[in-house]
Amino acid sequence: QVQLVESGGGLVQAGGSLRLSCAASGSIFNINSMAWYRQAPGKQRELVASITSGGSTNYADSVKGRFTISRDNAKNTVFLQMNSAKPEDTAVYYCNADVIRAPTFFLYALWGQGTQVTVSS
């Protein structure tokens, strides 16, 4: 069984910072891309940022220059540093990872359970 467990969500004031973490555990051979998505009430889930195993990153225009995605491959963990938070960043944030399981080497797209981030004005 492989799972993603997120942590670090909560309440932050506008202009403040928050750091999200997501750790993958279980029988893992390797992890390709990892990403953070978010879903606000009444809206579709959207990509916030992604990072490849080699460290190449991609960001939504709405968070460029404010959020930073990073990962620790040795610990199968991805982070999202949220700076200069805005009320419109309020959403449930989900971790996503393309995991190659051991010993089958099958590729699975996994999701975390989500963590609430609320930015107050």
Side-chain angles (χ1 to χ4, degrees), residues 3-5 19 21-26 28 30-31 34 70-79:
Q3 62 178 355
L4 302 178
V5 178
R19 190 186 196 214
S21 301
C22 172
S25 62
I28 298 170
N30 199 13
I31 300 178
M34 304 184 82
S70 61
R71 63 190 284 176
D72 184 335
N73 289 332
K75 296 182 178 180
N76 292 328
T77 301
V78 64
F79 306 96

Side-chain angles (χ1 to χ4, degrees), residues 80-97:
L80 185 68
Q81 178 66 43
M82 305 170 57
N83 296 331
S84 302
K86 300 177 180 181
E88 51 263 43
D89 294 324
T90 295
V92 177
Y93 283 70
Y94 296 91
C95 174
N96 168 263

Side-chain angles (χ1 to χ4, degrees), residues 7-50:
S7 61
L11 176 64
V12 63
Q13 288 188 334
S17 298
L18 208 59
R19 190 186 196 214
L20 307 182
S21 301
C22 172
S25 62
S27 300
I28 298 170
F29 174 74
N30 199 13
I31 300 178
N32 292 340
S33 291
M34 304 184 82
W36 288 95
Y37 286 74
R38 68 186 181 187
Q39 187 167 18
K43 295 187 177 181
Q44 289 188 332
R45 190 173 298 189
E46 63 174 357
L47 176 67
V48 176
S50 63

